[in-house]
Amino acid sequence: MNGLGRRVAIIDGCRTPFLKSGTDFKDVSAVELGKAAVRELIARTELDVNVVDHVIYGTVVQSVQEPNIAREVTLGAGIPPRVPSFTVGRACASSNQAITSAAEQIALGMADVIIAGGAESLTDVPILFSPEMRNALVKASKARSLGERIQAFRTIRPRHLTPIAPAIAEPTTGETMGASAEKMAKENGITREAQDRWALRSHTLAAAATEDGRLTREITPFYVPPKFEKVVTQDNGIRADTTLEKLSTLKPVFDRKYGSVTAGNASPLTDGASAVLLMSEEKAAELGYKPLGFIRSYAYAALDPGDQLLQGPVYAAPVAFDRAGLTMKDIGLLEVHEAFAAQVLSNLQWFDSDEIARKRLGRDKAVGLPPEDRINVMGGSLAIGHPFGATGGRITITLLNELKRRGEQFGMISVCAAGAMGFVMIVEAAPN
């Protein structure tokens, strides 16, 4: 990795199926999904768990009962208890953060072998009480008599019983991510038809990659509790039979009168987990592993959440290219996280705009784009799904596997995240 010391190898990775929330994973926690992904990674790579130095795992909506998901995954996946582990969060780029945190430890010589990844259950989310109800419950728990317990609830009114779900809006602006996508569509001139066409493209390509095994090869079969009789082997949000006509009939969700963002051109709420094995180049050679590829560079960036919330990757890309010593012309494949079709098309528009480069980035020229047939060649999150904490790991392995299959050398990952953050990583495939 440029400028940081030792070269960081990505050995392999895998994931659970990505399933729409409330479906077959409705009774499976993020921890259990994470354990499944990590166990499969260990089995696939025939890894001696005694050589693992660290486990780093990402998640967004944390469990109240299991706040350090990385530790629970470590203990539940058969990794020795002596192996330390920690959880990271960077919104939709949380597993990217896990991977780069691992890379930094390896590059600096602090570790040789790290498992990184992330998991999310958007079915199993914590629901909170109102502050008034919470305070009453705490007071009642300390009561010494029945009368004191009753007294603790004396001021509670029906409105205080309303549960509070995890926030879906930016705390600084109050604007939801979907509303932000609507804003980007309007300001960048992204039409409803263009969004629907991109969504159709995502489903069509993902369906083809599922049919021919390119996507399913990264998936571990998952036996569904409690009976463990049903086994899930592929993502369930991909619609091979969707059409532009079907997508065009869906109503806008966030701006019902003038909007263009619909359930069809937005990523669905999804449950799933991913896991990636990283090593120093030297340790990989010592242990006899042939890496999938190497981390060439990466960059994080951010902008004002009141601006175009999901354009962070545009700010990160030129920095990542500078650090890699490469340009977009070197990129064989580009993987862009698809939160919304409006966001993808806005990101691509800005990547290719010299005006944006000058006005926004202080640079003379845009980073540019590869041909469209090199972008999200197996579809993306619109079809495959988006478990917040797991998507970055999925994209990393999807890209490296396809680079290897095609014999391409360099690939680029682009991920937008809540809080107006963005991530870009340049990876280099190992020679075939």
Side-chain angles (χ1 to χ4, degrees):
M1 195 161 56
N2 259 11
L4 277 182
R6 299 194 299 174
R7 202 175 185 204
V8 179
I10 296 176
I11 305 302
D12 204 352
C14 64
R15 64 181 177 93
T16 68
F18 282 7
L19 304 186
K20 287 186 173 183
S21 295
T23 58
D24 283 326
F25 285 165
K26 62 184 175 63
D27 296 320
V28 185
S29 69
V31 167
E32 292 304 318
L33 292 169
K35 290 177 187 177
V38 172
R39 288 192 199 108
E40 175 69 11
L41 178 67
I42 292 167
R44 285 189 181 199
T45 57
E46 299 181 347
L47 179 69
D48 178 359
V49 293
N50 291 298
V51 305
V52 178
D53 296 313
H54 238 101
V55 175
I56 307 173
Y57 226 60
T59 196
V60 177
V61 184
Q62 295 199 16
S63 166
V64 176
Q65 295 176 311
E66 300 163 319
N68 186 0
I69 188 174
R71 186 59 180 160
E72 304 313 316
V73 167
T74 300
L75 297 172
I79 297 168
R82 63 170 177 75
V83 176
S85 39
F86 66 92
T87 300
V88 297
R90 198 191 281 261
C92 302
S94 291
S95 51
N96 302 106
Q97 180 63 66
I99 290 168
T100 58
S101 292
E104 287 160 6
Q105 292 205 29
I106 292 170
L108 293 171
M110 302 296 181
D112 283 308
V113 180
I114 297 180
I115 292 173
E120 205 76 48
S121 172
L122 292 175
T123 302
D124 181 25
V125 296
I127 304 297
L128 307 178
F129 286 113
S130 67
E132 293 84 359
M133 189 64 185
R134 180 191 63 212
N135 292 339
L137 288 167
V138 171
K139 189 175 180 180
S141 71
K142 297 176 180 179
R144 297 182 179 180
S145 67
L146 178 59
E148 288 183 0
R149 289 192 187 96
I150 294 172
Q151 183 68 16
F153 294 100
R154 186 176 59 83
T155 60
I156 293 298
R157 300 292 181 265
R159 68 179 183 277
H160 299 148
L161 302 177
T162 303
I164 303 172
I168 57 171
E170 289 292 312
T172 54
T173 65
E175 189 173 58
T176 65
M177 194 171 289
S180 298
E182 282 284 13
K183 177 180 178 180
M184 292 169 68
K186 292 179 176 73
E187 293 190 8
N188 298 316
I190 308 297
T191 66
R192 166 69 186 270
E193 183 182 7
Q195 293 173 59
D196 287 347
R197 285 189 181 280
W198 191 270
L200 176 61
R201 177 186 190 273
S202 186
H203 282 279
T204 301
L205 293 175
T210 298
E211 181 67 26
D212 65 24
R214 284 176 294 149
L215 269 182
T216 52
R217 72 188 296 260
E218 66 194 36
I219 295 175
T220 175
F222 193 98
Y223 288 83
V224 180
K227 294 184 177 181
F228 300 98
E229 294 174 349
K230 182 175 183 177
V231 59
V232 183
T233 59
Q234 63 187 53
D235 312 309
N236 72 358
I238 301 169
R239 294 288 175 259
D241 61 347
T242 195
T243 64
L244 198 59
E245 289 70 31
K246 290 179 181 178
L247 289 168
S248 68
T249 64
L250 299 175
K251 302 296 184 184
V253 175
F254 302 98
D255 179 351
R256 296 184 185 277
K257 190 172 183 180
Y258 301 109
S260 56
V261 176
T262 71
N265 57 43
S267 59
L269 295 177
T270 313
D271 304 332
S274 62
V276 178
L277 177 60
L278 299 98
M279 294 184 185
S280 65
E281 185 176 23
E282 297 81 4
K283 192 67 173 181
E286 176 190 326
L287 295 176
Y289 284 102
K290 181 177 174 61
L292 268 180
F294 300 89
I295 297 177
R296 180 78 174 216
S297 74
Y298 59 85
Y300 292 93
L303 63 153
D304 185 338
D307 193 0
Q308 294 205 22
L309 183 76
L310 304 177
Q311 293 282 27
V314 177
Y315 292 75
V319 180
F321 277 120
D322 287 350
R323 291 172 178 172
L326 301 172
T327 70
M328 190 65 86
K329 292 179 180 178
D330 299 301
I331 297 301
L333 294 173
L334 169 59
E335 278 288 328
V336 181
H337 163 49
E338 296 175 346
F340 302 89
Q343 157 261 319
V344 177
L345 295 169
S346 293
N347 288 170
L348 298 180
Q349 182 188 99
W350 280 28
F351 279 141
D352 206 31
S353 170
D354 289 337
E355 182 181 2
I356 290 295
R358 289 191 297 269
K359 290 183 177 180
R360 294 268 188 165
L361 311 178
R363 292 175 176 262
D364 294 333
K365 290 187 67 64
V367 296
L369 285 177
E372 188 176 293
D373 63 3
R374 297 298 185 100
I375 302 172
N376 292 12
V377 296
M378 289 186 282
S381 302
L382 290 173
I384 296 167
H386 175 36
F388 299 158
T391 289
R394 195 277 297 172
I395 288 176
T396 301
I397 295 307
T398 299
L399 175 59
L400 281 168
N401 279 332
E402 190 64 5
L403 285 172
K404 181 179 180 180
R405 192 185 75 84
R406 292 180 177 226
E408 296 284 352
Q409 185 175 7
F410 297 111
M412 172 181 156
I413 293 164
S414 170
V415 178
C416 62
M421 296 181 291
F423 170 76
V424 166
M425 184 161 75
I426 310 298
V427 294
E428 180 175 0
N432 286 329

